[in-house]
Every structure is written in structure tokens, then in C-alpha cells.
Amino acid sequence: EAGTQTCRGPGRAGDPCHLTRPCGSGLSCEAGTQTCRAPGDVGDPCHATRPCGDNLRCVCGDSLRCGFSLGSSVCIPECNDGMSSKIEKMLENGGWEGERTYGEKWHNGVMPYEFHCGLADSEASSIALAIRELEDRTSLRFERYDSRRHANWVIFNNFDKGREIGNYFAQGTGRKIEAGWQSVNINDPFWMVVNEYNVIHEIMHALGWPHTQQRPDRDEYVKINWDNIAEEKKSQYYKLNVTAGEPGSDLWESVQKCKPYNYKSVMHYGGDDEIETLDPSKNELIGQRDVLSTQDIRELQAYFFGPHCDPASVPPSLSFDRAPAPGKVGEYCSLTRLCGSGLSCHLGVQKCYDFPRKEGQPCAAWYDCNAGLNCEAVSQVCETVPAEPTASPVPTTEAPLAPEP
């Protein structure tokens, strides 16, 4: 080795390296730090002197900084082209396999996943950074989907499914009961950098987290200004119905009800217009998307790996012996909690709606119109189907048959 004039073996991971002390097999000497590094994993920084591992590629996640900072490019998984094409074809044919019943826990804290091939690099890199953050902060693990080992998996995508561009959403709370894929949508083409904590928010929905302001005890801590909330957004503020066993009830019973209210959670909404804290000094804490709060990390760890609430220190769980009351409009519904008279359960969002819709009411792919009505493509309103004109009888030109003799 130059400088020390000492015989050295090849550098191991974390050892210093340079021209006269190369790294060992499978390692690279990273420029700048002059340190031996293993190939980058999902969400790790990458560059010319630190390549990504197998089946990964190095992409620029921040076009404003690429070329100026070694940390601005990250390793992302190669997308699954076959699965992407299969799902796209299914959606084109009107199918949406992911719409099922949710609320199950991911086995052993492992979430299998795939990346859809339509993701932009900024979207894919933010998902990779979110995965890295969750793995670094907790014992959760994210594995590439393998049909031989996994029955359920998440597909990270930007399908958007008719919602406005720039929207993020997870398809359900927790793992779905039936085998198959479920969607976590990241669609934000107007920004060169997608916020990784917005992605974590959606991943936590898929892991089983409702919004913090939906906790059963939220009225002790926040005030919901219902008049300022758009009708289609009100379900994001409904309190968790533990009696009905809504997805998230198990999290509440086993972890959250013996922990303080989590003002700083990435799962909490913010904004004075829609929600405000009863303690004015806490108002600036809610709605942040900059970091996993300490309690977010503790809840994730406790839910999947323990310890759970001590039954002696919390109120007894609500009884599930009797059948839950039928759901009203906007309330939770499932295969085991039906909606009230004249309502139907939309299993994709697990809420009761009064559809088929009547004339003049809004409609969409999952809000069908009543018989005799059509969902007008532009206005998205149920309209009467125009009556088809009655065909006039065609006059005959044939001569009448002669009478038989």
C-alpha cells in the first residue's frame, strides 16, 4: 500500500481504498469517500463508482441536482414488464383485480412488491427511497414478488384510475383477504422530485394504517370542520368503527389505544380549514410530510413485532358477538357488514353508496346508473337514454297470391 508501505489484503466493505489498495471481490471503491462499498440495494445512492446490484438500475431521482451531487441518483428495481402488460390489459377490459376486502396483516412484516413499467424515474426513485427509509427505521422488509413464495403483493404504479393528476392513493387499508395484487398509486408528473414521505403515507395505508384523525379518540384532540370539507373527501375524516371491525381496528386494539395521540404522524392531515387541534400549540405539528415521527416508527414496530397493548392497562375490547348494524351512506361496509336498505357496498373503497344512481346524480365507473339511464361521458351525470326511433313498416310490393281453385 502506497504511503504506509505495508502489505494489505483487498479491502472489505467499509475499508478505505485507493489505487494501491483495491477492494475485494464484488466491491467497488467509491469516489469521494474512497471506501469499499457493496453494490447498491433498492433506495441506496449510486453513481459511476458505486453501481447497483443485480436486477437494479441507477436513475436520477432529482433532475435539479444530478451531476452535482453523488447522492442524487438511487438504485431502483427493474420493472416487471410481463406483469405490467398483463395488468394494463386487465384494466383496459374493465377489470380491477385489486378491488377486494382489506384489513389483514402482512405476514411477518414482509410486503412483497413490484414496480410498474410506466413509472417515471422521479416516481420510482421516491418509492425506492421510501422503502429504504422504512427498512432502515424498522424491522419491516420489502421483497420482490415471487409467485412461488407470495400470495399477495403490492404493485407501485401511476395508473391514476381517473383521479386528478398529481394524486397519491393506496387501494386499501392493510393486506387484502383474497390472494393477488393491490395498488399503491404514485402519479405526480408536474414535479421533478416526488416527496418520499407522501409515498410512505400510502405504503402505511397498505400496511394497515388509517389516518390519525380517524382514531376513535380523536375528538379529545382535534376538531373536524365538516362544513369546509368536500363531500368526496369526508370519508377521510370518519372515525374508525371498531365495533364493525373496519380495517385498522386490529391496529387500534393492539397498539394505538395504549399510545398517545400522534400529532406528528405522516398519517395525520393538516390545515386549519378542515381540521384544527384543540390545543392551539399543536396545530403546527399536524400534516407534516418531512419525516417519520418517533411514534410512527414505534407503532410500526409494535404492530408487526410487538409488544402489543397490555389488556390490563386499557379498556376491554368492544364485543363482536352481535352482528353490526347495517351501514348508512358513506359508512364502512364489507362482506360481513352489509349496507342498509337501498344502498350498495362498493368493495373497492368499502363504503356504502346509494347506487345505482338516479337521473341527475353524479356517476363514474363504479357508480352505475339505474336502468334506462346512461352515465354521460363528459358531465359524469346520469341521463335518460334516448328512445330509439320506431321503424316504419316496409310496404310490400309483392302481388297477392291467387286463390286456390
Side-chain angles (χ1 to χ4, degrees), residues 133 137-138 197 204 209 255 259-267 288 290-302:
E133 175 77 352
R137 299 283 184 173
T138 72
Y197 290 97
M204 285 184 66
W209 264 251
V255 174
K259 292 192 180 296
Y261 191 79
N262 195 359
Y263 291 103
K264 296 181 182 179
S265 176
V266 294
M267 301 307 293
Q288 66 85 19
D290 300 315
V291 66
L292 272 170
S293 74
T294 300
Q295 189 166 322
D296 284 334
I297 296 168
R298 288 174 177 168
E299 286 184 9
L300 285 162
Q301 195 69 15

Side-chain angles (χ1 to χ4, degrees), residues 32-151:
T33 64
Q34 300 299 118
T35 303
C36 292
R37 303 283 191 192
D41 202 351
V42 174
D44 284 340
C46 55
H47 42 78
T49 57
R50 195 198 181 184
C52 299
D54 293 341
N55 300 314
L56 303 175
R57 61 188 180 95
C58 187
V59 302
C60 174
D62 183 347
S63 59
L64 295 178
R65 296 174 57 204
C66 285
F68 299 95
S69 169
L70 290 179
S72 55
S73 293
V74 298
C75 296
I76 67 169
E78 294 285 0
C79 66
N80 188 324
D81 187 59
M83 181 181 293
S84 297
S85 300
K86 178 182 175 182
I87 292 176
E88 283 181 356
K89 186 174 181 180
M90 184 184 302
L91 295 179
E92 288 171 2
N93 293 331
W96 186 260
E97 182 187 339
E99 286 186 355
R100 296 293 188 270
T101 308
Y102 299 85
E104 295 296 296
K105 184 184 289 190
W106 292 92
H107 299 300
N108 302 317
V110 175
M111 176 180 278
Y113 70 91
E114 284 289 2
F115 277 37
H116 186 262
C117 292
L119 288 167
D121 285 350
S122 60
E123 295 162 347
S125 60
S126 294
I127 297 166
L129 288 170
I131 288 174
R132 169 60 44 230
E133 175 77 352
L134 286 165
E135 288 196 331
D136 287 348
R137 299 283 184 173
T138 72
S139 300
L140 291 166
R141 289 296 171 261
F142 294 79
E143 297 180 355
R144 293 297 296 275
Y145 168 67
D146 183 342
S147 61
R148 297 166 296 181
R149 299 171 50 228
H150 305 130

Side-chain angles (χ1 to χ4, degrees), residues 306-378:
H308 290 170
C309 293
D310 178 1
S313 65
V314 295
S317 300
L318 295 169
S319 172
F320 290 88
D321 292 340
R322 60 184 177 83
K328 300 176 182 178
V329 173
E331 289 187 343
Y332 167 77
C333 60
S334 69
L335 296 176
T336 56
R337 193 205 183 189
L338 304 179
C339 298
S341 176
L343 305 180
S344 300
C345 184
H346 180 259
L347 290 179
V349 294
Q350 292 184 268
K351 300 292 181 184
C352 293
Y353 291 100
D354 57 336
F355 67 88
R357 310 293 278 173
K358 301 173 184 177
E359 185 172 6
Q361 288 187 320
C363 57
W366 53 88
Y367 299 141
D368 296 331
C369 297
N370 266 314
L373 301 177
N374 269 346
C375 188
E376 207 283 322
V378 178

Side-chain angles (χ1 to χ4, degrees), residues 235-248:
S235 62
Q236 309 298 308
Y237 292 87
Y238 293 152
K239 282 196 289 187
L240 183 68
N241 190 333
V242 180
T243 306
E246 282 189 356

Side-chain angles (χ1 to χ4, degrees), residues 144-217:
R144 293 297 296 275
Y145 168 67
D146 183 342
S147 61
R148 297 166 296 181
R149 299 171 50 228
H150 305 130
N152 293 79
W153 70 100
V154 160
I155 182 160
F156 293 104
N157 63 82
N158 59 0
F159 298 149
D160 201 43
K161 204 192 171 193
R163 290 165 168 81
E164 67 272 16
I165 290 176
N167 196 26
Y168 302 77
F169 62 92
Q171 199 179 348
T173 301
R175 177 178 64 79
K176 72 176 185 178
I177 295 173
E178 300 82 2
W181 59 271
Q182 60 194 79
S183 169
V184 172
N185 189 92
I186 306 299
N187 189 341
D188 209 346
F190 294 130
W191 304 101
M192 285 177 276
V193 184
V194 179
N195 184 343
E196 69 193 80
Y197 290 97
N198 279 338
V199 180
I200 287 177
H201 176 102
E202 302 308 331
I203 293 177
M204 285 184 66
H205 277 317
L207 286 168
W209 264 251
H211 294 120
T212 307
Q213 72 271 5
Q214 294 180 288
R215 280 175 51 140
D217 64 347

